[in-house]
Amino acid sequence: MYEEGDEAQDDCGSREEWTLLFWTSLAVIVPVIITLWCSAQRSKRKTHMKDFFRKSKHGWHYTDLFNKPTYCCVCSQHILQGAFCDCCGVCADEQCLRRADRSLPCKEIMAPSDCDGAMEHRWVRGNVPLASYCAVCKQQCGTQPKLCDFRCVWCQTTVHDDCMDSLVDADQCDLGEFHSLIIPPHYLYRVNKLRRRHPDEYSKLASSCGSGWTPVLVLANTRSGNNMGEALLGEFRTLLNPVQVFDLSELTPSKALQLCTLLPPGSVRVLVCGGDGTVGWVLDAIDTMKLKGQDQFIPRVTILPLGTGNDLSNTLGWGAGYAGEIPVEQVLRNILDAEVVKMDRWKVQVASKGLYFRKPKVLSMNNYFSVGPDALMALNFHTHREKTPSFFSSRIINKAVYFLYGTKDCLVQECKDLDKRIELELDGERVALPSLEGIIVCNIGYWGGGCRLWEGMGDEPCPPTRLDDGLLEVVGVFGSFHCAQIQVKLANPVRLGQAHTVRLVLKSSKMPMQVDGEPWAQGPCTITITHKTQALMLYHSAEQTDDDDESSASETESPTPQDSPRPPGPASARA
């Protein structure tokens, strides 16, 4: 009798265990199945949307959450997720997206003007920028919780619904504040109709764009620094003609710069959004234009620094890094105020020892060449970034990784006894080297992410430097710890001299080297650095660091006309 009771109790316990196991499994499996199904549907929808966006004339971007109150331009309903066009600003929820694509035209990059040569406004209703004001009554627009008020996609004028009838010249658009930087649609339309493509014809057409017309092309590297490139592309497409804005991950600089040949000679400015490597890429493309006989179309180059080091940008007065601290509108205003300066570019030939039948490797240099600990840090950083690029998406993380590799080299000292393995010649004269671990050949005033290498702490007289003097500054460092001391102004580098031609002979072993942040490991070789050409750059003098203020205060006491093409602060220190 007890056995039967025990068996019944065991059966009951077993059923409870199986029931508990079943529901536990169900509780785990069902959410997993639902998650996988949602993920598959999301992936399918994303593929479908990407195909739709690719065929559309709008610059659609899908977002799961708008960062401000947004209303659908079709149904006028408030939306949290949907798509927006970064060219004209039209917003729509997913259900109204196709209808918006059909019924609401985007900016036309090429279109005829009116009979009198005037251009009409292109109005988009609703979702006006924050802190925008009506052109008629001067009161704030977009304050009501609904789809209201208008914005012109070209001149950025905003008008209340009720004030639209009172707007003076409501049918004529002057392209607004940045009219001298925008390529009007009617200009490209007329260029397309030209039978004779000649620079004189472009200059005649430019008269319809107003005096002082200097169109700007924006070339952005979306992979640089802190990944701001994609957002900046959208902001520039909003303010300019979308045909002026290029994503360098989709189009090479050489192809983007071909637009310069359809614009008046000497009028074009190019804004490079990226790091020093991106700037060098664009300058190489400009050199290719020179080889093709397109010298008259060479643009002036300016920089919006998105990289990690940004030494060239710092030298030209554009800052050590852009993180959105000033609006894009102010960036364009700074370009309007910038002055043109010349900058030397150099050819670096690397002839490997024993490979006499192989052509030397030829590189272009704008900033600096180095062999030793700073090149080793760059090489380690570059190697790990190639393996896990998603990890190196922040400027802070990148600098932290550099610091870790520098600390490691302080302990290991992989580049010691460099003076025994390398020979240095400046303009054909052999230079006796002290016990160094690194040699740095500089063309610009800044090095290592914002350090003035040649001037150092300024406690010793040194020859002046210029961007366009055809001279290189050569210094030595005792190791990674010495580099760190120089960067925090606790030590000076070893000044080895200035020269028009620099020659280094690596006699033995393999050493890390870099040109403008592009590192590699190099065996025995001969490196020859000679002058290549000059580039036309834009210098911004309004933004200066504290050190610039101190040095410029002494310089302004006795300015000379010869120094005017030279950026006064970053590139020269008068003894």
Side-chain angles (χ1 to χ4, degrees), residues 29-104:
I29 293 173
V30 170
V32 171
I33 293 175
I34 293 175
T35 302
L36 292 174
W37 182 83
C38 291
S39 178
Q41 293 298 314
R42 190 182 297 111
S43 178
K44 182 179 179 181
R45 185 183 66 177
K46 188 176 180 180
T47 304
H48 179 72
M49 296 287 283
K50 186 180 292 187
D51 185 62
F52 169 71
F53 291 166
R54 182 175 53 84
K55 296 177 180 178
S56 174
K57 292 184 178 181
H58 283 273
W60 292 115
H61 290 268
Y62 191 85
T63 179
D64 289 325
L65 182 64
F66 286 97
N67 59 4
K68 65 175 184 177
T70 305
Y71 300 88
C72 177
C73 293
V74 177
C75 66
S76 303
Q77 298 298 312
H78 180 264
I79 54 176
L80 293 176
Q81 63 178 20
F84 64 95
C85 175
D86 63 2
C87 297
C88 65
V90 168
C91 301
D93 56 32
E94 196 168 338
Q95 291 73 25
C96 300
L97 190 55
R98 292 187 177 276
R99 186 177 168 189
D101 192 69
R102 291 192 305 267
S103 60
L104 301 175

Side-chain angles (χ1 to χ4, degrees), residues 107 154 181-182 216 218 236-242 244 332:
K107 274 185 176 180
W154 288 106
L181 299 179
I182 297 174
V216 63
V218 180
F236 282 116
R237 289 191 185 106
T238 300
L239 296 173
L240 306 173
N241 191 330
Q244 299 173 242
L332 295 178

Side-chain angles (χ1 to χ4, degrees), residues 320-335:
Y322 179 78
E325 60 274 6
I326 62 173
V328 169
E329 291 85 353
Q330 186 59 46
V331 173
L332 295 178
R333 294 185 192 107
N334 292 342
I335 294 175

Side-chain angles (χ1 to χ4, degrees), residues 337-564:
D337 298 334
E339 59 178 302
V340 180
V341 296
K342 292 181 179 179
M343 182 187 74
D344 294 322
R345 301 194 73 219
W346 301 82
K347 179 171 68 174
V348 181
Q349 285 187 314
V350 183
S352 298
K353 187 176 180 180
L355 301 176
Y356 302 108
F357 299 103
R358 182 181 297 178
K359 289 184 178 180
K361 181 165 66 172
V362 179
L363 303 167
S364 296
M365 186 186 87
N366 304 309
N367 300 358
Y368 41 74
F369 164 88
S370 69
V371 52
D374 67 323
L376 179 62
M377 285 186 283
L379 181 61
N380 289 331
F381 175 84
H382 181 77
T383 302
H384 285 80
R385 184 170 62 175
E386 289 293 313
K387 292 180 181 178
T388 55
S390 59
F391 179 75
F392 298 88
S393 59
S394 167
R395 190 180 290 130
I396 296 176
I397 292 177
N398 294 350
K399 291 188 176 183
V401 173
Y402 261 105
F403 173 77
L404 290 175
Y405 284 129
T407 304
K408 175 186 173 184
D409 187 60
C410 288
L411 303 174
V412 179
Q413 293 183 316
E414 295 184 30
C415 303
K416 63 181 179 180
D417 298 329
L418 177 70
D419 55 300
K420 299 177 183 177
R421 292 184 276 178
I422 203 166
E423 294 178 359
L424 173 66
E425 293 181 7
L426 301 181
D427 288 336
E429 295 185 7
R430 179 83 175 270
V431 177
L433 298 176
S435 181
L436 299 175
E437 286 192 25
I439 295 175
I440 305 167
V441 183
C442 291
N443 178 48
I444 62 176
Y446 282 93
W447 163 86
C451 171
R452 288 192 190 174
L453 194 62
W454 179 253
E455 290 86 351
M457 294 185 293
D459 55 352
E460 298 178 5
C462 64
T465 65
R466 293 174 61 97
L467 281 175
D468 58 352
D469 59 0
L471 285 172
L472 292 166
E473 288 71 47
V474 186
V475 301
V477 294
F478 295 118
S480 296
F481 186 69
H482 187 206
C483 289
Q485 287 180 309
I486 293 170
Q487 288 183 321
V488 296
K489 301 181 181 180
L490 293 178
N492 278 333
V494 180
R495 296 192 185 101
L496 300 175
Q498 292 177 299
H500 297 88
T501 302
V502 177
R503 186 170 179 263
L504 299 101
V505 180
L506 180 61
K507 296 179 290 186
S508 62
S509 70
K510 183 177 286 189
M511 292 292 293
M513 299 181 181
Q514 70 162 336
V515 173
D516 292 353
E518 298 297 325
W520 75 96
Q522 177 66 47
C525 65
T526 300
I527 299 107
T528 307
I529 306 176
T530 55
H531 191 268
K532 179 182 180 182
T533 184
Q534 285 189 328
L536 297 175
M537 310 296 290
L538 291 178
Y539 174 70
H540 179 51
S541 58
E543 295 180 2
Q544 291 185 326
T545 62
D546 295 338
D547 296 332
D548 296 337
D549 295 335
E550 294 174 5
S551 61
S552 62
S554 60
E555 292 169 9
T556 52
E557 294 177 1
S558 57
T560 57
Q562 292 86 349
D563 292 339
S564 58

